[in-house]
C-alpha cells in the first residue's frame, strides 16, 4: 500500500488528523489495532475546551455535539462543605462543553468513512521503519504501508514513541501518589455543573456525560483494587466527600462501569524524529484534573496538519521543523495547570495538616480573588490555538 501520511491509532488524535489532512487535500491511511466497536465504546475524557469546540464546528464535525453536548459556563470548587463557583463565561467570555470522547470518535469515523477515508481496524503488529528517510514505512501483520510521513497517534502504550532512538528522545515523568476511581452511573446528574471537591478524606469529582448519565470520581491509593470497591462502598464514600452544609443530595443509579486509573504527568521531547511525528498521548500525558488530555491532542494535530500540508504540497520544511517546539509550549502550560489543579485538590497520604492548610488557603484565595479565579478560568476554558 502507498499513501502520503500513515497514521497509527484511531483515537481522537489520529482520526482528527486524517480529517484535517483530507480538507487540505492530503491522503492518509489510519491503522488501528482494536476493533471499530471497541474504539467507539471506550469511555475517556468528556470536557471539550472552547477552542476545541470552535475547531470542530469550523471543520464540519459539530452537528451532533451542538445538539447533544452540554455547554457549561462555570464549575464549583467545593471545600469546607460549601460550593464556590468559578464563573467561566463571566470571567473569560468562553465556556466548556461536556461531550464524551467516544462520541467525538464516532463522529470522526462516520465523517471519514462518508468521505471515502481509509481506516483499517484490527491491524496488529505495527512497526515503523526508515523514518530518517523520505520514504518511511509501517510494517504490520499481513502487510506494509509506504508513506511520505508517519504520524504516531497510538497513545502512551503504543509503538511509535519507541521508534525514536533513546539518545534522541528525552522524557520527563512524574507519577502522582494517588489514583482515580471512576464510576459511570445511569442517574440524572445531581448538579448542573462540575464539582471539584477538596475533602480531608481525598478528592471527589461530580461530572456527567448526558442528562441521564453521571460520571463520578474518587481519589484512592494507587494500589487499590476495583474488586475491593463494591457499588455500595463507592456511593457511601461519594456521599461523605460531596456533602455540604446546605443539604446537597447525590442521586444514585445503576452502575454502568467502574475502574481505577493511575495519575501521571509525562512529556517526550522532541515530538518529531525524521519523518515520524508524535501527537496526543503518544507524546504526553497529563493528570485528568485539568481536563486537558484530549484537548492537547486536538491542538497537536491542528499544528501537524498545517505543517504536513505545507511540506507535501509546497515542499516547505519550516512548519515541520517547528512542530515540536510549537506544541510543547502548550503541552508544558497544560502540565503546569493540571499539576496546580491536582495538588490543590488532592490529599496525599503523606500530606500533614500544615500542607492541607496551605491547600485550603489557595482554594479560599482562588474563590475570593477575581484575578486568581480569572487565571484558573482562562486555563480551564482553554488558551487559543
Amino acid at each position: 500500500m502507498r499513501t502520503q501520511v500513515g497514521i497509527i491509532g484511531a483515537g481522537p488524535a489520529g482520526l482528527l488528523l486524517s480529517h484535517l489532512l483530507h480538507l487540505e487535500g492530503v491522503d492518509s491511511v489510519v491503522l488501528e489495532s482494536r476493533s471499530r466497536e471497541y474504539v467507539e465504546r471506550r469511555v475517556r475524557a468528556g470536557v471539550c475546551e472552547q477552542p476545541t469546540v470552535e475547531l470542530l464546528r469550523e471543520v464540519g464535525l459539530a452537528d451532533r455535539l451542538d445538539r447533544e453536548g452540554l455547554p457549561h459556563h462555570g464549575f464549583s470548587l467545593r471545600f469546607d462543605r460549601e460550593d464556590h463557583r468559578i464563573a467561566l463565561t463571566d470571567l473569560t467570555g468562553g465556556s466548556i462543553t461536556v461531550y464524551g470522547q467516544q462520541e467525538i470518535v464516532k463522529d470522526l469515523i462516520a465523517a471519514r468513512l462518508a468521505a471515502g477515508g481509509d481506516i483499517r481496524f484490527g491491524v496488529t503488529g505495527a512497526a515503523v521503519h526508515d523514518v530518517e528517510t523520505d520514504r518511511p514505512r509501517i510494517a504490520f501483520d499481513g502487510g506494509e504501508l509506504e508513506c511520505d510521513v508517519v504520524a504516531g497517534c497510538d497513545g502512551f502504550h503504543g509503538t511509535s514513541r519507541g521508534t525514536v532512538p533513546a539518545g534522541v528522545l528525552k522524557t520527563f515523568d512524574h507519577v502522582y501518589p494517588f489514583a482515580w476511581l471512576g464510576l459511570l452511573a445511569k442517574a440524572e446528574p445531581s448538579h448542573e455543573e462540575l464539582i471539584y471537591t477538596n475533602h480531608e478524606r481525598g478528592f471527589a469529582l461530580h461530572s456527567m456525560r448526558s442528562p441521564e448519565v453521571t460520571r463520578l470520581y474518587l481519589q484512592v491509593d494507587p494500589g487499590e483494587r476495583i474488586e475491593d470497591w463494591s457499588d455500595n462502598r463507592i456511593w457511601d464514600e461519594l456521599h461523605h466527600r460531596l456533602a455540604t452544609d446546605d443539604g446537597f443530595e447525590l442521586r444514585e443509579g445503576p452502575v454502568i462501569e467502574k475502574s481505577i486509573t493511575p495519575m501521571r504527568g509525562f512529556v517526550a521531547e522532541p515530538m518529531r524524529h525524521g519523518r515520524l511525528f508524535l501527537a496526543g498521548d503518544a507524546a504526553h500525558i497529563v493528570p485528568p484534573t485539568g481536563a486537558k488530555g484530549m484537548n492537547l491532542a486536538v491542538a497537536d494535530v491542528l499544528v501537524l496538519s498545517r505543517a504536513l500540508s505545507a511540506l507535501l504540497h509546497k515542499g516547505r520544511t519550516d512548519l515541520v521543523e517547528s512542530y515540536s517546539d510549537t506544541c510543547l509550549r502548550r503541552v508544558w502550560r497544560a502540565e503546569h495547570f493540571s499539576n496546580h489543579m491536582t495538588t490543590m485538590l488532592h490529599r496525599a497520604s503523606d500530606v500533614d495538616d500544615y500542607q492541607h492548610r496551605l491547600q485550603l488557603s489557595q482554594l479560599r484565595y482562588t474563590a475570593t480573588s477575581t484575578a486568581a479565579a480569572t487565571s484558573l478560568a482562562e486555563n480551564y476554558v482553554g488558551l487559543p490555538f
Side-chain angles (χ1 to χ4, degrees):
M1 293 191 297
R2 180 84 176 86
T3 192
Q4 289 178 289
V5 181
I7 301 172
I8 306 177
L15 292 167
L16 181 57
L17 176 60
S18 179
H19 182 78
L20 294 173
L21 291 173
H22 168 70
L23 297 179
E24 296 278 358
V26 176
D27 294 331
S28 66
V29 174
V30 180
L31 305 177
E32 168 59 48
S33 63
R34 303 282 194 167
S35 67
R36 177 178 177 179
E37 179 184 21
Y38 179 88
V39 300
E40 288 187 338
R41 293 184 62 182
R42 59 185 169 190
V43 177
R44 293 290 188 270
V47 172
C48 298
E49 294 177 349
Q50 179 85 21
T52 294
V53 173
E54 291 173 353
L55 175 64
L56 294 174
R57 287 176 180 151
E58 181 183 334
V59 299
L61 293 170
D63 288 351
R64 198 160 67 92
L65 181 152
D66 284 333
R67 290 196 310 271
E68 302 177 14
L70 305 175
H72 285 202
H73 301 283
F75 68 84
S76 289
L77 292 177
R78 181 171 291 182
F79 58 94
D80 292 337
R81 296 176 62 89
E82 184 180 354
D83 277 341
H84 307 266
R85 186 171 186 265
I86 303 299
L88 299 174
T89 304
D90 291 346
L91 292 166
T92 69
S95 62
I96 56 99
T97 299
V98 174
Y99 188 65
Q101 175 176 308
Q102 73 273 20
E103 304 306 323
I104 292 178
V105 166
K106 292 175 187 175
D107 296 341
L108 283 162
I109 289 174
R112 293 302 303 123
L113 295 180
D118 193 341
I119 309 172
R120 307 199 174 199
F121 296 98
V123 174
T124 57
V128 182
H129 302 279
D130 303 330
V131 297
E132 296 178 358
T133 74
D134 60 1
R135 286 292 183 270
R137 55 193 176 88
I138 306 170
F140 53 89
D141 293 340
E144 186 173 274
L145 176 65
E146 292 184 356
C147 38
D148 298 312
V149 169
V150 175
C153 305
D154 48 347
F156 182 74
H157 298 289
T159 62
S160 298
R161 190 174 66 251
T163 303
V164 184
V168 173
L169 194 69
K170 186 173 183 179
T171 60
F172 304 83
D173 197 4
H174 177 71
V175 178
Y176 288 84
F178 29 74
W180 272 17
L181 189 160
L183 181 77
L184 199 66
K186 190 169 181 57
E188 182 182 346
S190 308
H191 193 270
E192 64 272 14
E193 295 178 336
L194 278 69
I195 305 169
Y196 288 83
T197 304
N198 177 297
H199 190 272
E200 61 183 9
R201 288 169 63 158
F203 168 79
L205 171 61
H206 169 279
S207 182
M208 64 285 292
R209 286 295 178 269
S210 75
E212 298 82 29
V213 176
T214 300
R215 184 70 162 160
L216 298 150
Y217 296 95
L218 284 172
Q219 173 192 338
V220 297
D221 290 335
E224 293 278 0
R225 302 186 315 150
I226 195 63
E227 296 82 7
D228 295 331
W229 284 83
S230 67
D231 294 355
N232 286 337
R233 182 187 178 191
I234 295 172
W235 286 116
D236 287 347
E237 192 65 23
L238 284 166
H239 279 287
H240 190 87
R241 296 189 196 183
L242 290 169
T244 63
D245 288 335
D246 62 1
F248 171 81
E249 293 186 8
L250 178 65
R251 297 188 181 101
E252 296 187 18
V255 174
I256 302 170
E257 177 185 295
K258 59 182 177 180
S259 62
I260 294 178
T261 304
M263 297 178 66
R264 74 189 309 156
F266 175 87
V267 180
E269 297 184 4
M271 291 170 58
R272 172 207 175 193
H273 177 61
R275 290 289 182 105
L276 169 66
F277 296 82
L278 303 176
D281 286 359
H284 42 73
I285 295 288
V286 290
T289 324
K292 295 299 168 198
M294 179 182 65
N295 295 289
L296 278 180
V298 170
D300 287 350
V301 298
L302 176 61
V303 174
L304 184 55
S305 65
R306 293 169 175 169
L308 296 183
S309 177
L311 174 69
L312 298 174
H313 283 322
K314 302 176 182 178
R316 285 177 50 192
T317 61
D318 55 323
L319 295 183
V320 293
E321 289 169 356
S322 64
Y323 166 72
S324 183
D325 288 342
T326 299
C327 290
L328 285 169
R329 284 195 293 271
R330 189 182 193 91
V331 168
W332 279 113
R333 174 86 292 275
E335 291 282 351
H336 182 274
F337 176 69
S338 298
N339 179 75
H340 169 67
M341 287 279 285
T342 301
T343 54
M344 180 172 65
L345 290 163
H346 291 70
R347 182 128 189 221
S349 58
D350 59 350
V351 170
D352 56 23
D353 287 339
Y354 177 83
Q355 294 294 327
H356 185 52
R357 291 296 191 277
L358 293 181
Q359 286 181 316
L360 291 175
S361 175
Q362 180 62 45
L363 285 163
R364 290 166 184 152
Y365 173 62
T366 302
T368 57
S369 164
T370 300
T374 300
S375 177
L376 180 69
E378 181 183 49
N379 283 272
Y380 193 85
V381 165
L383 302 175
F385 286 155

